[in-house]
Amino acid sequence: MIKIKELSKLFGNKEVLKNLSMEFSKGNVYGIVGENGAGKTTLFRCIAGLESYSGEIISDVMPLKNHLGLLLTEPFFFTMMTGREYIRLLCNARGKTNVDIDNKNIFDLPLEQYASTYSTGMKKKLAITAILLQENEYFILDEPFNGVDIQSNIILTEIILKLKELNKVVIISSHIFSTLSDTCDEIHLLRKGEQIKSVNKTGFKDLEQEMKEITIGNLIKNLELK
Amino acid sequence: MKNYFNLLLVLTNRKIKKAGLNPGLGYLLGLAAFILLAEYLFQKTSFAKYLVILVCLSFQFQLSEKNRTDFLQSTFGDKTKNKIRILENLMVSIPFVSFLLYKGLIIEASILGLCSISFALVSFHAHFNLSIPTPFSKRPFEFSTGFRRTFYLFPMAYALAFIAINVDNFNLGVFSFLLIFLTTLGFYSKPEQEYYVWVHAETPGKFLKNKMLHASKNAAFLTAPILISMLIFYPSEVALILGFFLIGLLFLWTIILAKYSSYPEEMNLPEGMIVAFSLFFPPLLLAVIPFFYLKSVNKLKFLLNDKN
């Protein structure tokens, strides 16, 4: 379980997260949606302990960060570090040695090649593999489906459902609504740092429709496409 | 081209200001530190001239990095890129060539000048698609990536040690040994992205101790062939050889701790000056190491979620 109480975050004078309260329970998958700049990544960074904040974030295992698999939107890789070494580094950091990397290379990545030379999708798949092999209890996946090929997206969806089955907490952000509706139990909508609404599975269709209307509005009409 | 160099100047000044110094004073202090260090090297070893050349070439090597030169080429075109690169390398070489000239080493200064121009026309890492094998793959990342960046220096150091023993030149042997330590210090010069610290499920103290332990093991592994050969061929100098080894390790720890004492910022001038003073007076390390250690623990507390 992760409980967020009255979480706020300021960058200078700008309040980027405004009094958020949410709860993430075991065995559930949560989606965080919102436009660019809505505060999704900042929220993830606060939960991970990468940003200071006001309010409270508590979990049943402390410190949360030591049991959290964090997938950043754009994972950073050292030059001249192979895919295998990246996985080893992340596993070693959590005290997991002797991991059978080859058998668990489900995305069939070229592990002896430098990770910095991978394509965007391959980089994301490598980062996902590494946090899965860390055997975490909580997962934050910031845009996991972006840049990843359709076959791997199918695998990734199945992985998320398996994590749910294993009683883990999974929090995902995505700009592709269908990827969230396929996996999530609850979706929180953020706008300009505010928690606009939280809906469960039965309300996903309405939420998608509402987001479409708000986002598109008269924009396409204004284009006067001919 | 003029705008490019103006921009470089602005960026350099910004870095110096970030270190808390007036840019003019920063350049002066940098120059003074360079002269003092070079003079010290010339007093201590007859191989100082090679070291001066090597350091200059290693700076120029970094400027020849492929992505960088590709950017210059796509922005300015081939001809201007070459001009920029030659000017950059010459600017870097000015203090080194001047010092060699001041020491009366005209041939060495001319060679360095010519190398600076030729290096400007080459870009490195261009064809490095294959992964260079490293003995440090099991525990990434500093030594595994650092070894790949500098792999060519290790056979050079071993060859120097071999020559030193053959011509019975103890100082050259020590130099080859220190060359490896100097190279490994460079593996810790830049702070890694915060994710790579955050990901560790350790307290700051444990994190730093592990970093120091693995660095010591890896440095010992790299220096072992020279260390063992020196101990066999110069049994009367055992204390001196082991003393150099110990000092090498202490400097390695100092650099690791200095890096994290300013984390996530890059190591600044004050830390650099403390390390430089320690080079002149190594016993200072006994105070510097605990000082940097405590500072690093404080800097890492937030990222590693240490509430104590």
Side-chain angles (χ1 to χ4, degrees), chain A residues 65-105:
Chain A
K65 69 167 274 295
N66 291 357
H67 308 273
L68 176 68
L70 175 64
L71 174 76
L72 299 169
T73 324
E74 285 179 32
F76 169 83
F77 298 95
F78 292 102
T79 49
M80 297 191 144
M81 175 188 272
T82 65
R84 184 183 300 281
E85 285 163 3
Y86 176 79
I87 295 175
R88 266 194 200 134
L89 172 64
L90 262 67
C91 289
N92 288 347
R94 295 291 168 84
K96 303 272 181 296
T97 47
N98 301 322
V99 178
D100 185 1
I101 297 173
D102 289 307
N103 268 334
K104 295 180 176 176
N105 179 17

mmCIF file of all heavy atoms in Angstrom, chain A residues 65-105:
data_model
loop_
_atom_site.group_PDB
_atom_site.id
_atom_site.type_symbol
_atom_site.label_atom_id
_atom_site.label_comp_id
_atom_site.label_asym_id
_atom_site.label_seq_id
_atom_site.Cartn_x
_atom_site.Cartn_y
_atom_site.Cartn_z
ATOM 1 N N LYS A 65 11.491 3.586 -1.429
ATOM 2 C CA LYS A 65 12.386 3.592 -2.588
ATOM 3 C C LYS A 65 13.187 2.294 -2.757
ATOM 4 O O LYS A 65 13.521 1.913 -3.866
ATOM 5 C CB LYS A 65 13.357 4.785 -2.539
ATOM 6 C CG LYS A 65 14.385 4.698 -1.450
ATOM 7 C CD LYS A 65 15.503 5.699 -1.618
ATOM 8 C CE LYS A 65 16.610 5.221 -2.505
ATOM 9 N NZ LYS A 65 17.376 4.064 -2.012
ATOM 10 N N ASN A 66 13.460 1.618 -1.621
ATOM 11 C CA ASN A 66 14.270 0.398 -1.703
ATOM 12 C C ASN A 66 13.485 -0.792 -2.256
ATOM 13 O O ASN A 66 14.056 -1.844 -2.504
ATOM 14 C CB ASN A 66 14.817 0.033 -0.323
ATOM 15 C CG ASN A 66 15.864 1.029 0.142
ATOM 16 O OD1 ASN A 66 16.213 1.947 -0.599
ATOM 17 N ND2 ASN A 66 16.349 0.865 1.346
ATOM 18 N N HIS A 67 12.174 -0.615 -2.429
ATOM 19 C CA HIS A 67 11.337 -1.710 -2.933
ATOM 20 C C HIS A 67 10.570 -1.253 -4.165
ATOM 21 O O HIS A 67 9.569 -1.837 -4.535
ATOM 22 C CB HIS A 67 10.347 -2.157 -1.839
ATOM 23 C CG HIS A 67 11.038 -2.466 -0.557
ATOM 24 N ND1 HIS A 67 11.550 -3.705 -0.279
ATOM 25 C CD2 HIS A 67 11.361 -1.674 0.497
ATOM 26 C CE1 HIS A 67 12.138 -3.670 0.912
ATOM 27 N NE2 HIS A 67 12.043 -2.453 1.398
ATOM 28 N N LEU A 68 11.038 -0.179 -4.759
ATOM 29 C CA LEU A 68 10.319 0.442 -5.871
ATOM 30 C C LEU A 68 11.104 0.303 -7.182
ATOM 31 O O LEU A 68 12.285 0.653 -7.246
ATOM 32 C CB LEU A 68 10.103 1.934 -5.552
ATOM 33 C CG LEU A 68 9.457 2.782 -6.635
ATOM 34 C CD1 LEU A 68 8.002 2.395 -6.850
ATOM 35 C CD2 LEU A 68 9.518 4.264 -6.254
ATOM 36 N N GLY A 69 10.423 -0.203 -8.195
ATOM 37 C CA GLY A 69 11.012 -0.241 -9.532
ATOM 38 C C GLY A 69 10.526 0.982 -10.278
ATOM 39 O O GLY A 69 9.322 1.137 -10.494
ATOM 40 N N LEU A 70 11.439 1.844 -10.626
ATOM 41 C CA LEU A 70 11.048 3.107 -11.255
ATOM 42 C C LEU A 70 11.503 3.134 -12.712
ATOM 43 O O LEU A 70 12.700 3.045 -12.995
ATOM 44 C CB LEU A 70 11.675 4.283 -10.490
ATOM 45 C CG LEU A 70 11.474 5.675 -11.084
ATOM 46 C CD1 LEU A 70 10.004 6.073 -11.082
ATOM 47 C CD2 LEU A 70 12.276 6.718 -10.296
ATOM 48 N N LEU A 71 10.545 3.246 -13.609
ATOM 49 C CA LEU A 71 10.875 3.395 -15.025
ATOM 50 C C LEU A 71 10.692 4.859 -15.388
ATOM 51 O O LEU A 71 9.570 5.377 -15.340
ATOM 52 C CB LEU A 71 9.956 2.521 -15.896
ATOM 53 C CG LEU A 71 10.145 2.727 -17.402
ATOM 54 C CD1 LEU A 71 11.407 2.037 -17.894
ATOM 55 C CD2 LEU A 71 8.949 2.230 -18.186
ATOM 56 N N LEU A 72 11.786 5.521 -15.718
ATOM 57 C CA LEU A 72 11.697 6.933 -16.098
ATOM 58 C C LEU A 72 11.243 7.050 -17.560
ATOM 59 O O LEU A 72 11.428 6.112 -18.344
ATOM 60 C CB LEU A 72 13.056 7.610 -15.935
ATOM 61 C CG LEU A 72 13.635 7.616 -14.512
ATOM 62 C CD1 LEU A 72 15.080 8.069 -14.517
ATOM 63 C CD2 LEU A 72 12.809 8.518 -13.615
ATOM 64 N N THR A 73 10.660 8.197 -17.898
ATOM 65 C CA THR A 73 10.181 8.395 -19.283
ATOM 66 C C THR A 73 11.315 8.176 -20.277
ATOM 67 O O THR A 73 11.155 7.508 -21.279
ATOM 68 C CB THR A 73 9.656 9.838 -19.484
ATOM 69 O OG1 THR A 73 9.020 10.243 -18.293
ATOM 70 C CG2 THR A 73 8.725 9.934 -20.655
ATOM 71 N N GLU A 74 12.447 8.795 -19.981
ATOM 72 C CA GLU A 74 13.603 8.616 -20.859
ATOM 73 C C GLU A 74 14.759 8.115 -20.022
ATOM 74 O O GLU A 74 15.530 8.914 -19.478
ATOM 75 C CB GLU A 74 13.975 9.939 -21.534
ATOM 76 C CG GLU A 74 13.031 10.302 -22.644
ATOM 77 C CD GLU A 74 13.366 11.620 -23.294
ATOM 78 O OE1 GLU A 74 14.553 11.994 -23.362
ATOM 79 O OE2 GLU A 74 12.417 12.303 -23.709
ATOM 80 N N PRO A 75 14.898 6.793 -19.887
ATOM 81 C CA PRO A 75 15.982 6.273 -19.051
ATOM 82 C C PRO A 75 17.349 6.707 -19.590
ATOM 83 O O PRO A 75 17.542 6.786 -20.804
ATOM 84 C CB PRO A 75 15.831 4.752 -19.154
ATOM 85 C CG PRO A 75 14.525 4.511 -19.799
ATOM 86 C CD PRO A 75 14.149 5.740 -20.555
ATOM 87 N N PHE A 76 18.256 7.017 -18.661
ATOM 88 C CA PHE A 76 19.599 7.452 -19.055
ATOM 89 C C PHE A 76 20.556 6.257 -19.013
ATOM 90 O O PHE A 76 20.498 5.448 -18.091
ATOM 91 C CB PHE A 76 20.092 8.541 -18.093
ATOM 92 C CG PHE A 76 21.553 8.858 -18.253
ATOM 93 C CD1 PHE A 76 21.972 9.745 -19.232
ATOM 94 C CD2 PHE A 76 22.513 8.263 -17.441
ATOM 95 C CE1 PHE A 76 23.317 10.027 -19.390
ATOM 96 C CE2 PHE A 76 23.861 8.541 -17.590
ATOM 97 C CZ PHE A 76 24.258 9.429 -18.573
ATOM 98 N N PHE A 77 21.413 6.147 -20.013
ATOM 99 C CA PHE A 77 22.400 5.064 -20.028
ATOM 100 C C PHE A 77 23.796 5.633 -20.205
ATOM 101 O O PHE A 77 24.002 6.528 -21.019
ATOM 102 C CB PHE A 77 22.111 4.090 -21.174
ATOM 103 C CG PHE A 77 20.773 3.422 -21.025
ATOM 104 C CD1 PHE A 77 19.657 3.933 -21.671
ATOM 105 C CD2 PHE A 77 20.619 2.314 -20.217
ATOM 106 C CE1 PHE A 77 18.419 3.337 -21.521
ATOM 107 C CE2 PHE A 77 19.383 1.712 -20.054
ATOM 108 C CZ PHE A 77 18.278 2.227 -20.699
ATOM 109 N N PHE A 78 24.738 5.088 -19.454
ATOM 110 C CA PHE A 78 26.134 5.499 -19.604
ATOM 111 C C PHE A 78 26.643 5.060 -20.971
ATOM 112 O O PHE A 78 26.239 4.009 -21.467
ATOM 113 C CB PHE A 78 27.011 4.813 -18.549
ATOM 114 C CG PHE A 78 26.743 5.271 -17.163
ATOM 115 C CD1 PHE A 78 25.989 4.496 -16.306
ATOM 116 C CD2 PHE A 78 27.242 6.466 -16.697
ATOM 117 C CE1 PHE A 78 25.732 4.898 -15.016
ATOM 118 C CE2 PHE A 78 26.989 6.884 -15.411
ATOM 119 C CZ PHE A 78 26.234 6.104 -14.574
ATOM 120 N N THR A 79 27.537 5.864 -21.530
ATOM 121 C CA THR A 79 28.178 5.405 -22.765
ATOM 122 C C THR A 79 29.103 4.256 -22.383
ATOM 123 O O THR A 79 29.637 4.215 -21.267
ATOM 124 C CB THR A 79 29.021 6.526 -23.418
ATOM 125 O OG1 THR A 79 29.850 7.084 -22.424
ATOM 126 C CG2 THR A 79 28.166 7.603 -24.032
ATOM 127 N N MET A 80 29.262 3.332 -23.269
ATOM 128 C CA MET A 80 30.158 2.183 -23.085
ATOM 129 C C MET A 80 29.734 1.272 -21.939
ATOM 130 O O MET A 80 30.571 0.687 -21.267
ATOM 131 C CB MET A 80 31.599 2.643 -22.898
ATOM 132 C CG MET A 80 32.143 3.354 -24.110
ATOM 133 S SD MET A 80 33.892 3.604 -24.017
ATOM 134 C CE MET A 80 34.369 3.400 -25.698
ATOM 135 N N MET A 81 28.424 1.218 -21.702
ATOM 136 C CA MET A 81 27.920 0.223 -20.751
ATOM 137 C C MET A 81 26.986 -0.706 -21.529
ATOM 138 O O MET A 81 26.088 -0.229 -22.223
ATOM 139 C CB MET A 81 27.164 0.889 -19.610
ATOM 140 C CG MET A 81 26.525 -0.132 -18.680
ATOM 141 S SD MET A 81 25.466 0.632 -17.486
ATOM 142 C CE MET A 81 26.653 0.966 -16.230
ATOM 143 N N THR A 82 27.215 -1.999 -21.428
ATOM 144 C CA THR A 82 26.379 -2.941 -22.187
ATOM 145 C C THR A 82 25.026 -3.118 -21.498
ATOM 146 O O THR A 82 24.870 -2.782 -20.317
ATOM 147 C CB THR A 82 27.064 -4.318 -22.300
ATOM 148 O OG1 THR A 82 27.163 -4.875 -20.988
ATOM 149 C CG2 THR A 82 28.432 -4.234 -22.938
ATOM 150 N N GLY A 83 24.084 -3.689 -22.247
ATOM 151 C CA GLY A 83 22.764 -3.954 -21.688
ATOM 152 C C GLY A 83 22.863 -4.870 -20.476
ATOM 153 O O GLY A 83 22.209 -4.646 -19.459
ATOM 154 N N ARG A 84 23.704 -5.897 -20.590
ATOM 155 C CA ARG A 84 23.872 -6.836 -19.474
ATOM 156 C C ARG A 84 24.399 -6.113 -18.226
ATOM 157 O O ARG A 84 23.944 -6.342 -17.113
ATOM 158 C CB ARG A 84 24.861 -7.936 -19.893
ATOM 159 C CG ARG A 84 25.038 -9.037 -18.848
ATOM 160 C CD ARG A 84 26.075 -10.042 -19.291
ATOM 161 N NE ARG A 84 25.727 -10.690 -20.543
ATOM 162 C CZ ARG A 84 24.847 -11.689 -20.657
ATOM 163 N NH1 ARG A 84 24.274 -12.165 -19.583
ATOM 164 N NH2 ARG A 84 24.565 -12.222 -21.827
ATOM 165 N N GLU A 85 25.367 -5.214 -18.442
ATOM 166 C CA GLU A 85 25.942 -4.486 -17.295
ATOM 167 C C GLU A 85 24.909 -3.567 -16.645
ATOM 168 O O GLU A 85 24.912 -3.393 -15.426
ATOM 169 C CB GLU A 85 27.172 -3.685 -17.743
ATOM 170 C CG GLU A 85 28.380 -4.562 -17.969
ATOM 171 C CD GLU A 85 29.475 -3.911 -18.775
ATOM 172 O OE1 GLU A 85 29.332 -2.716 -19.127
ATOM 173 O OE2 GLU A 85 30.455 -4.583 -19.082
ATOM 174 N N TYR A 86 24.035 -2.992 -17.470
ATOM 175 C CA TYR A 86 22.985 -2.128 -16.924
ATOM 176 C C TYR A 86 22.079 -2.939 -15.991
ATOM 177 O O TYR A 86 21.773 -2.514 -14.875
ATOM 178 C CB TYR A 86 22.168 -1.508 -18.068
ATOM 179 C CG TYR A 86 21.013 -0.671 -17.577
ATOM 180 C CD1 TYR A 86 21.211 0.628 -17.116
ATOM 181 C CD2 TYR A 86 19.718 -1.184 -17.535
ATOM 182 C CE1 TYR A 86 20.157 1.386 -16.638
ATOM 183 C CE2 TYR A 86 18.661 -0.432 -17.060
ATOM 184 C CZ TYR A 86 18.897 0.859 -16.617
ATOM 185 O OH TYR A 86 17.840 1.603 -16.128
ATOM 186 N N ILE A 87 21.678 -4.127 -16.467
ATOM 187 C CA ILE A 87 20.805 -4.972 -15.642
ATOM 188 C C ILE A 87 21.543 -5.365 -14.360
ATOM 189 O O ILE A 87 20.979 -5.308 -13.263
ATOM 190 C CB ILE A 87 20.349 -6.218 -16.434
ATOM 191 C CG1 ILE A 87 19.461 -5.786 -17.610
ATOM 192 C CG2 ILE A 87 19.602 -7.198 -15.535
ATOM 193 C CD1 ILE A 87 19.036 -6.904 -18.535
ATOM 194 N N ARG A 88 22.811 -5.747 -14.513
ATOM 195 C CA ARG A 88 23.598 -6.130 -13.332
ATOM 196 C C ARG A 88 23.700 -4.994 -12.329
ATOM 197 O O ARG A 88 23.547 -5.191 -11.124
ATOM 198 C CB ARG A 88 25.010 -6.533 -13.775
ATOM 199 C CG ARG A 88 25.121 -8.001 -13.993
ATOM 200 C CD ARG A 88 26.580 -8.407 -14.084
ATOM 201 N NE ARG A 88 26.660 -9.683 -14.733
ATOM 202 C CZ ARG A 88 27.510 -9.998 -15.697
ATOM 203 N NH1 ARG A 88 28.375 -9.108 -16.117
ATOM 204 N NH2 ARG A 88 27.510 -11.193 -16.230
ATOM 205 N N LEU A 89 23.955 -3.787 -12.852
ATOM 206 C CA LEU A 89 24.105 -2.624 -11.974
ATOM 207 C C LEU A 89 22.832 -2.412 -11.144
ATOM 208 O O LEU A 89 22.893 -2.215 -9.924
ATOM 209 C CB LEU A 89 24.408 -1.379 -12.821
ATOM 210 C CG LEU A 89 24.421 -0.025 -12.120
ATOM 211 C CD1 LEU A 89 25.543 0.034 -11.089
ATOM 212 C CD2 LEU A 89 24.612 1.108 -13.108
ATOM 213 N N LEU A 90 21.686 -2.475 -11.831
ATOM 214 C CA LEU A 90 20.428 -2.232 -11.112
ATOM 215 C C LEU A 90 20.104 -3.365 -10.131
ATOM 216 O O LEU A 90 19.581 -3.111 -9.049
ATOM 217 C CB LEU A 90 19.279 -2.029 -12.108
ATOM 218 C CG LEU A 90 18.964 -0.549 -12.357
ATOM 219 C CD1 LEU A 90 20.084 0.158 -13.076
ATOM 220 C CD2 LEU A 90 17.671 -0.369 -13.105
ATOM 221 N N CYS A 91 20.434 -4.597 -10.511
ATOM 222 C CA CYS A 91 20.190 -5.723 -9.599
ATOM 223 C C CYS A 91 21.152 -5.675 -8.413
ATOM 224 O O CYS A 91 20.736 -5.865 -7.264
ATOM 225 C CB CYS A 91 20.318 -7.048 -10.345
ATOM 226 S SG CYS A 91 18.957 -7.320 -11.487
ATOM 227 N N ASN A 92 22.433 -5.418 -8.683
ATOM 228 C CA ASN A 92 23.423 -5.308 -7.587
ATOM 229 C C ASN A 92 22.996 -4.244 -6.586
ATOM 230 O O ASN A 92 23.169 -4.406 -5.380
ATOM 231 C CB ASN A 92 24.804 -4.915 -8.132
ATOM 232 C CG ASN A 92 25.473 -6.053 -8.878
ATOM 233 O OD1 ASN A 92 25.045 -7.197 -8.799
ATOM 234 N ND2 ASN A 92 26.518 -5.748 -9.630
ATOM 235 N N ALA A 93 22.437 -3.135 -7.120
ATOM 236 C CA ALA A 93 22.047 -2.016 -6.249
ATOM 237 C C ALA A 93 20.978 -2.440 -5.247
ATOM 238 O O ALA A 93 20.828 -1.824 -4.196
ATOM 239 C CB ALA A 93 21.536 -0.857 -7.097
ATOM 240 N N ARG A 94 20.230 -3.483 -5.576
ATOM 241 C CA ARG A 94 19.192 -3.974 -4.662
ATOM 242 C C ARG A 94 19.614 -5.295 -4.021
ATOM 243 O O ARG A 94 18.768 -6.054 -3.523
ATOM 244 C CB ARG A 94 17.872 -4.164 -5.424
ATOM 245 C CG ARG A 94 17.292 -2.862 -5.945
ATOM 246 C CD ARG A 94 16.803 -1.973 -4.807
ATOM 247 N NE ARG A 94 16.518 -0.636 -5.255
ATOM 248 C CZ ARG A 94 15.375 -0.266 -5.815
ATOM 249 N NH1 ARG A 94 14.414 -1.145 -5.995
ATOM 250 N NH2 ARG A 94 15.193 0.980 -6.177
ATOM 251 N N GLY A 95 20.914 -5.575 -4.084
ATOM 252 C CA GLY A 95 21.433 -6.766 -3.416
ATOM 253 C C GLY A 95 21.086 -8.060 -4.132
ATOM 254 O O GLY A 95 21.185 -9.139 -3.546
ATOM 255 N N LYS A 96 20.664 -7.980 -5.401
ATOM 256 C CA LYS A 96 20.333 -9.204 -6.146
ATOM 257 C C LYS A 96 21.515 -9.570 -7.035
ATOM 258 O O LYS A 96 21.769 -8.916 -8.043
ATOM 259 C CB LYS A 96 19.095 -8.983 -7.032
ATOM 260 C CG LYS A 96 17.862 -8.531 -6.288
ATOM 261 C CD LYS A 96 17.069 -9.717 -5.793
ATOM 262 C CE LYS A 96 15.815 -9.325 -5.071
ATOM 263 N NZ LYS A 96 15.978 -8.583 -3.824
ATOM 264 N N THR A 97 22.235 -10.599 -6.608
ATOM 265 C CA THR A 97 23.366 -11.045 -7.427
ATOM 266 C C THR A 97 22.982 -12.391 -8.043
ATOM 267 O O THR A 97 21.988 -12.997 -7.665
ATOM 268 C CB THR A 97 24.639 -11.176 -6.575
ATOM 269 O OG1 THR A 97 24.295 -11.882 -5.390
ATOM 270 C CG2 THR A 97 25.223 -9.827 -6.213
ATOM 271 N N ASN A 98 23.794 -12.848 -8.967
ATOM 272 C CA ASN A 98 23.552 -14.137 -9.653
ATOM 273 C C ASN A 98 22.161 -14.239 -10.293
ATOM 274 O O ASN A 98 21.497 -15.268 -10.206
ATOM 275 C CB ASN A 98 23.734 -15.313 -8.682
ATOM 276 C CG ASN A 98 25.122 -15.324 -8.092
ATOM 277 O OD1 ASN A 98 26.085 -15.017 -8.780
ATOM 278 N ND2 ASN A 98 25.224 -15.642 -6.808
ATOM 279 N N VAL A 99 21.724 -13.179 -10.899
ATOM 280 C CA VAL A 99 20.430 -13.212 -11.603
ATOM 281 C C VAL A 99 20.651 -13.871 -12.967
ATOM 282 O O VAL A 99 21.633 -13.582 -13.653
ATOM 283 C CB VAL A 99 19.884 -11.773 -11.788
ATOM 284 C CG1 VAL A 99 18.585 -11.782 -12.563
ATOM 285 C CG2 VAL A 99 19.701 -11.104 -10.440
ATOM 286 N N ASP A 100 19.756 -14.772 -13.348
ATOM 287 C CA ASP A 100 19.871 -15.459 -14.635
ATOM 288 C C ASP A 100 19.356 -14.521 -15.737
ATOM 289 O O ASP A 100 18.198 -14.615 -16.164
ATOM 290 C CB ASP A 100 19.055 -16.756 -14.582
ATOM 291 C CG ASP A 100 19.230 -17.572 -15.855
ATOM 292 O OD1 ASP A 100 19.989 -17.137 -16.741
ATOM 293 O OD2 ASP A 100 18.585 -18.639 -15.954
ATOM 294 N N ILE A 101 20.225 -13.636 -16.161
ATOM 295 C CA ILE A 101 19.807 -12.580 -17.095
ATOM 296 C C ILE A 101 19.404 -13.165 -18.453
ATOM 297 O O ILE A 101 18.404 -12.764 -19.033
ATOM 298 C CB ILE A 101 20.924 -11.526 -17.244
ATOM 299 C CG1 ILE A 101 21.181 -10.846 -15.890
ATOM 300 C CG2 ILE A 101 20.573 -10.489 -18.302
ATOM 301 C CD1 ILE A 101 22.367 -9.919 -15.855
ATOM 302 N N ASP A 102 20.174 -14.131 -18.933
ATOM 303 C CA ASP A 102 19.909 -14.646 -20.288
ATOM 304 C C ASP A 102 18.519 -15.263 -20.421
ATOM 305 O O ASP A 102 17.823 -15.007 -21.398
ATOM 306 C CB ASP A 102 20.990 -15.662 -20.669
ATOM 307 C CG ASP A 102 22.308 -14.952 -20.916
ATOM 308 O OD1 ASP A 102 22.312 -14.000 -21.717
ATOM 309 O OD2 ASP A 102 23.316 -15.314 -20.281
ATOM 310 N N ASN A 103 18.133 -16.058 -19.429
ATOM 311 C CA ASN A 103 16.816 -16.696 -19.510
ATOM 312 C C ASN A 103 15.686 -15.702 -19.335
ATOM 313 O O ASN A 103 14.546 -15.981 -19.718
ATOM 314 C CB ASN A 103 16.698 -17.782 -18.443
ATOM 315 C CG ASN A 103 17.126 -19.118 -18.989
ATOM 316 O OD1 ASN A 103 17.045 -19.361 -20.189
ATOM 317 N ND2 ASN A 103 17.619 -19.986 -18.121
ATOM 318 N N LYS A 104 15.995 -14.578 -18.699
ATOM 319 C CA LYS A 104 14.942 -13.597 -18.419
ATOM 320 C C LYS A 104 14.938 -12.433 -19.409
ATOM 321 O O LYS A 104 14.264 -11.436 -19.199
ATOM 322 C CB LYS A 104 15.086 -13.110 -16.973
ATOM 323 C CG LYS A 104 14.831 -14.261 -16.002
ATOM 324 C CD LYS A 104 14.952 -13.876 -14.570
ATOM 325 C CE LYS A 104 14.580 -15.081 -13.707
ATOM 326 N NZ LYS A 104 14.741 -14.856 -12.294
ATOM 327 N N ASN A 105 15.736 -12.592 -20.469
ATOM 328 C CA ASN A 105 15.811 -11.548 -21.494
ATOM 329 C C ASN A 105 14.620 -11.714 -22.452
ATOM 330 O O ASN A 105 14.765 -12.069 -23.617
ATOM 331 C CB ASN A 105 17.144 -11.686 -22.231
ATOM 332 C CG ASN A 105 17.325 -10.657 -23.333
ATOM 333 O OD1 ASN A 105 16.629 -9.640 -23.370
ATOM 334 N ND2 ASN A 105 18.239 -10.921 -24.240
#
